[in-house]
Amino acid sequence: MVQTAKILVVEDDLHIRRLLRTTMQRAGHAVVEAADARQAVSLLDIEQPDVVLLDLGLPDRDGLELIGPIRRRSTAIIIVVSARDDSSEKVTALDLGADDYVTKPFDTDELLARIRTALRHRRTAAAGDDVTVVEAGSVRIDLEHRRVSKDGLDVHLTPKEYAVLAELARRPDRVLSHTQLLKSVWGPAHVERVEYLRIAVRGLRQKLEADPTQPKLIINELAVGYRLRA
Ligand code: CA
C-alpha cells in the first residue's frame, strides 16, 4: 500500500522547489511550499504537514535554527535537504531532532524511499504496536527478549554491542549520530568517546555481517553516525 502524506517543502531555490514539488506530487503526496524560514513557521501551524523537507541555506535564517522550533510545535518528520556536504552540520541536524538528511544533488527515488521509510515507522509507532522484532537480512533482533540470531543461530553479543544494535534497531533505516548512540549507550559523560562506538560496531560486524569489510547491515555514514539497514 502506498502511503501518501502532506509535505512542506522549505526551499528558497525555485528550481529545486519545483523539482521537489513535481516529484512529491507524482508519488501522490500533497505539497505546500515555503521559500523562507518565516513562511515555513507560519505554514507549519496552518497546514500541519506530516513531513518537512528542510533546506539549510535559507535567505532569512539558517535552516538548522528551524529544527528545534519545528520539533517543539509539530510531530512532522523532518528531512534535511542540504547542499552543504558538511558532516558536522548533518550531525547537528540529527542531534537537534531531524529524522534524516539527503545531500544535494539528491536522487529523487532515494528521497522518496527515505520518506516512505519514515512514514512507515511513524505509522507503526502511532499504532502503538511496539516493534519488538527487527529483521535485517539474515539477522533477527528480538528487542523484547534481548536475543540476536543469524541464520537461525543465536549470536552472543557483549552488553555494549547489544545496546548499540538495539538502539539502531529501534529506529531502522535511520541515521543515528555518534553523539546520539554514545549518549544512550554509554551516557552523557561519554559523548566524545567515538572509539567506544567504533569498537562495538567492529564487534557487531564481525559477528553479524557476511563480510565484515563490506558491511551491508550496519552502514557507516561518514563522520556522522550509523544506520541499520532493515
Ligand atoms: Ca537554499
Side-chain angles (χ1 to χ4, degrees):
M1 194 190 79
V2 182
Q3 197 191 6
T4 56
K6 186 189 268 188
I7 301 189
L8 172 60
V9 174
V10 186
E11 170 64 75
D12 59 316
D13 183 309
L14 185 61
H15 293 286
I16 298 175
R17 209 163 67 227
R18 281 198 184 136
L19 170 67
L20 286 169
R21 181 177 64 204
T22 317
T23 305
M24 296 307 132
Q25 285 175 340
R26 272 203 200 119
H29 299 302
V31 177
V32 281
E33 297 172 40
D36 57 37
R38 219 157 63 121
Q39 239 181 339
V41 172
S42 64
L43 281 176
L44 196 71
D45 292 334
I46 302 166
E47 300 284 351
Q48 310 215 327
D50 306 298
V51 179
V52 179
L53 297 183
L54 180 63
D55 174 35
L56 294 185
L58 294 170
D60 52 344
R61 267 170 94 179
D62 191 314
L64 284 174
E65 291 172 25
L66 272 182
I67 296 174
I70 296 173
R71 256 299 142 266
R72 281 194 292 278
R73 59 212 292 170
S74 144
T75 57
I77 292 156
I78 304 173
I79 299 179
V80 165
V81 183
S82 169
R84 305 175 250 175
D85 194 10
D86 175 347
S87 53
S88 67
E89 202 169 58
K90 291 172 185 168
V91 172
T92 308
L94 293 171
D95 291 344
L96 285 170
D99 293 277
D100 206 345
Y101 62 82
V102 293
T103 305
K104 295 174 190 168
F106 52 86
D107 178 73
T108 51
D109 289 337
E110 171 71 17
L111 180 57
L112 285 170
R114 297 281 182 88
I115 292 171
R116 268 199 309 276
T117 304
L119 287 170
R120 196 175 61 233
H121 294 317
R122 186 59 56 94
R123 193 177 38 178
T124 318
D129 19 315
D130 278 347
V131 181
T132 54
V133 175
V134 177
E135 307 216 10
S138 61
V139 173
R140 191 169 181 280
I141 304 150
D142 182 336
L143 293 167
E144 195 183 349
H145 302 101
R146 302 175 64 93
R147 279 175 67 174
V148 179
S149 62
K150 186 187 174 194
D151 298 316
L153 298 172
D154 279 350
V155 177
H156 177 75
L157 301 179
T158 67
K160 292 301 184 204
E161 286 169 352
Y162 176 78
V164 170
L165 185 65
E167 276 303 305
L168 291 168
R170 282 189 199 101
R171 277 169 285 184
D173 298 308
R174 301 235 316 251
V175 192
L176 294 187
S177 75
H178 295 141
T179 314
Q180 288 171 314
L181 286 164
L182 285 161
K183 199 186 276 177
S184 49
V185 176
W186 281 271
H190 298 99
V191 291
E192 306 288 328
R193 309 305 292 267
V194 182
E195 72 275 13
Y196 290 179
L197 189 56
R198 290 222 176 88
I199 292 167
V201 169
R202 195 184 309 141
L204 283 169
R205 282 175 172 159
Q206 254 141 22
K207 292 170 186 175
L208 301 177
E209 299 274 2
D211 176 359
T213 63
Q214 306 274 325
K216 301 262 188 289
L217 225 56
I218 301 174
I219 309 299
N220 195 21
E221 298 283 334
L222 196 65
V224 176
Y226 296 97
R227 181 197 298 272
L228 178 76
R229 195 177 284 160

